Amino acid sequence: MTIKDIEKNISDWVTIGIATKNRWQDLQVTLEKIVDARLANVPIIIIDDCSDEPCPLDNSNFPLKLELYRFSESRGYITRRNQIAQKIKTKYYLSLDDDSFPVSGSLAKAIEFAESKNNLFCVSFPIYNPILNAYQNYSLNPETYQVRSFIGCGHLLHLPRFYEIGGYCNELIHQGEEMEIAARAFQKGWYCYHFPNFSIHHTASDIGRNWHRMDFYGARNNLLWNDWFVPRDLMLIQQFRTMASRLWLSLRVKRLGQCQGMISAASEVGKFKQKRSSFSRSQYSEWKKLPQS
């Protein structure tokens, strides 16, 4: 298999998946940018998580292989991303947000790299916010390297392995699903890698974002992750550190969601005991040494 073979038959290798809600203008820009990136042959599956208004976009305006599914009840992006994965028939799933899109580099080369690694679970990419003029995820060096996890707005998943470990954890509801599934994959000997030669722009629109919800689930899911994966002899100190940092963040932004999320995690932790699969000390040490994404 050569890079030319992948480029010629790229629609057989990868599908783009996008979950959206109330951000049709952002989605239109993303679709236009996918065309500009010469990825019009890649199938695209979009799931609308109960937007207030039906999609106003005319699919005939885009030279894309596009499928759009609309739901009348909101279930959140974690559930919708699992549903996108279930609809994909290719080996790889390029997950984008409705406000993120490729701008440079080669998706075919990213797939070529993925095919070269028999222990690969996911490929992470450099992600830049042109509005803030800052990187959300930057490359530490020009060569591909192993990382702990990946960023939701732009990554390439190895779908057979995603299916094998059960997909994203729906119980998390919102946020943190990438770190949780990456930890489960790591325990099976499947790893995430950062590929610096395929760049994503993330415009990070505030439209449709609920800051209280993000604060709440960010704190809740952080504490739940600790309970599920941190070695038991390190649990108390790690939970204390997490709560202290979340409390400081709550005070700094003057929002109560962080505190409410921590209270929720404390009340729910017993309900999710079956999720506990703690790292060994050596695994945890190896995990902590890796770059984040």
Side-chain angles (χ1 to χ4, degrees):
M1 177 191 64
T2 67
I3 188 67
K4 289 184 178 180
D5 293 329
I6 297 174
E7 288 173 342
K8 182 179 179 181
N9 302 296
I10 196 165
S11 62
D12 295 333
W13 285 98
V14 63
T15 300
I16 296 171
I18 302 172
T20 189
K21 181 174 183 177
N22 290 329
R23 294 207 292 243
W24 298 121
Q25 186 173 358
D26 289 324
L27 179 62
Q28 178 172 348
V29 171
T30 291
L31 295 177
E32 291 169 352
K33 294 294 186 180
I34 289 172
V35 175
D36 292 345
R38 299 181 180 179
L39 295 176
N41 288 334
V42 176
I44 302 174
I45 295 176
I46 299 172
I47 286 187
D48 172 26
D49 186 44
C50 188
S51 291
D52 296 331
E53 300 292 337
C55 177
L57 305 180
D58 184 352
N59 292 355
S60 64
N61 290 337
F62 302 101
L64 297 168
K65 301 175 181 179
L66 181 63
E67 297 178 32
L68 174 64
Y69 300 89
R70 175 175 168 80
F71 287 83
S72 59
E73 177 184 1
S74 180
R75 297 286 300 278
Y77 283 176
I78 293 178
T79 294
R80 299 310 181 203
R81 284 174 177 150
N82 277 332
Q83 290 173 330
I84 289 171
Q86 291 165 7
K87 294 179 180 296
I88 290 175
K89 297 179 175 61
T90 54
K91 183 175 181 178
Y92 294 102
Y93 169 9
L94 176 61
S95 181
L96 300 174
D97 277 4
D98 49 19
D99 55 2
S100 66
F101 42 83
V103 292
S104 65
S106 170
L107 178 57
K109 288 184 179 179
I111 294 170
E112 181 187 42
F113 166 75
E115 285 291 289
S116 74
K117 292 290 185 180
N118 59 14
N119 62 0
L120 181 137
F121 178 71
C122 187
V123 181
S124 166
F125 302 116
I127 298 170
Y128 181 75
N129 187 320
I131 295 174
L132 299 179
N133 194 29
Y135 275 94
Q136 183 176 348
N137 193 42
Y138 61 91
S139 300
L140 297 175
N141 61 61
E143 302 299 325
T144 306
Y145 53 91
Q146 189 180 344
V147 291
R148 290 186 213 169
S149 185
F150 52 96
I151 302 292
C153 61
H155 59 270
L156 185 72
L157 278 168
H158 186 296
L159 271 184
R161 289 171 183 160
F162 179 85
Y163 298 142
E164 187 170 335
I165 59 176
Y168 292 123
C169 177
N170 286 321
E171 290 87 349
L172 294 178
I173 310 300
H174 178 69
Q175 293 197 149
E177 70 272 22
E178 302 92 357
M179 184 69 76
E180 193 277 335
I181 198 171
R184 281 188 278 137
F186 187 87
Q187 290 175 326
K188 288 185 70 70
W190 299 335
Y191 305 132
C192 301
Y193 292 88
H194 182 90
F195 183 82
N197 298 314
F198 185 67
S199 296
I200 305 289
H201 276 191
H202 184 210
T203 56
S205 168
D206 288 345
I207 298 172
R209 298 187 189 275
N210 183 321
W211 293 107
H212 173 81
R213 188 170 187 255
M214 293 174 70
D215 289 346
F216 179 92
Y217 283 109
R220 170 190 181 264
N221 294 348
N222 197 167
L223 292 178
L224 289 178
W225 190 96
N226 290 345
D227 184 68
W228 296 351
F229 296 107
V230 173
R232 306 317 293 178
D233 57 332
L234 300 177
M235 177 62 60
L236 287 179
I237 185 63
Q238 185 58 48
Q239 292 291 46
F240 175 80
R241 289 173 176 170
T242 299
M243 288 188 287
S245 65
R246 290 287 178 174
L247 179 58
W248 168 246
L249 180 58
S250 180
L251 293 172
R252 185 164 63 86
V253 299
K254 299 180 180 179
R255 296 193 298 261
L256 292 176
Q258 300 280 345
C259 297
Q260 292 169 339
M262 288 189 287
I263 293 170
S264 176
S267 67
E268 292 183 281
V269 69
K271 184 170 69 173
F272 297 126
K273 285 183 179 180
Q274 76 280 5
K275 297 286 185 182
R276 290 176 180 163
S277 179
S278 301
F279 285 122
S280 67
R281 286 292 295 269
S282 60
Q283 278 183 320
Y284 191 60
S285 177
E286 184 183 352
W287 169 271
K288 294 289 284 185
K289 289 176 182 177
L290 293 171
Q292 185 75 16
S293 57

